[in-house]
Amino acid sequence: AAHCGVFLWRRHHRCARARGTWRSARGRGGPGHARGCGGAEVAMEQGVAEVREHVRALQSGDAAAAQAAGRWLAQFQQSKAAVPLAAELLDRSLHAGDDASAFFAAHTVSTHARLLSPSEDLSVWPSLAQCMLTHLRGVATSPTGRLSPPVLRQLCVALARLAVQLFDVWPDGVERLLQQL
């Protein structure tokens, strides 16, 4: 499941360049925007680090820092780049044993899966579903079961939502999900 987010990030930026909506994050000042041309992996790395930093700030015990981080994370979750970044954050957080970041990432993906609209490019979601399935299968076959119950719940909810929301572009989704679990 490693690098699920990098694939989605590259696809997001290729589509953004084709539509002429490519923007620089620092130029816009907000979270979740593309960082300019070139270096999708570097931008992904920086984006994941930035999100992780804000998730940690929520747990820091500093009320002002937690409030600012909460606002930033809420804004990030509403951005178009949230899904590919969250997918990569999920991969990395699960491998690092960072339950707080993994939960935030899984919740972000689950929320976006629920709010899908027909006007969005839905073609990236089946590959993201495959990544989530890989994580779930890893838990099922691992003696330690690395997913915390809240993360596991968010991934299951996201997959169920995707199976329903993507029926038009992924008609065999439910069957494939059941076969692969």
Side-chain angles (χ1 to χ4, degrees), residues 31-83:
H33 295 285
R35 291 190 174 270
C37 295
E41 289 84 5
V42 171
M44 177 64 73
E45 187 77 33
Q46 291 170 341
V48 166
E50 194 170 10
V51 173
R52 261 195 173 147
E53 179 183 319
H54 284 88
V55 170
R56 285 188 194 118
L58 285 176
Q59 303 170 319
S60 69
D62 178 352
Q67 189 175 25
R71 282 191 306 269
W72 189 94
L73 290 167
Q75 184 182 358
F76 164 76
Q77 283 183 312
Q78 295 174 6
S79 72
K80 296 248 186 246
V83 172

Side-chain angles (χ1 to χ4, degrees), residues 130 133 137 159 163-164 167 170-181:
Q130 286 300 129
L133 276 172
R137 276 195 311 261
L159 281 171
V164 172
F167 185 75
W170 198 29
D172 63 341
V174 172
E175 182 180 325
R176 291 177 84 190
L177 289 173
L178 292 174
Q179 286 175 348
Q180 293 181 25
L181 285 175

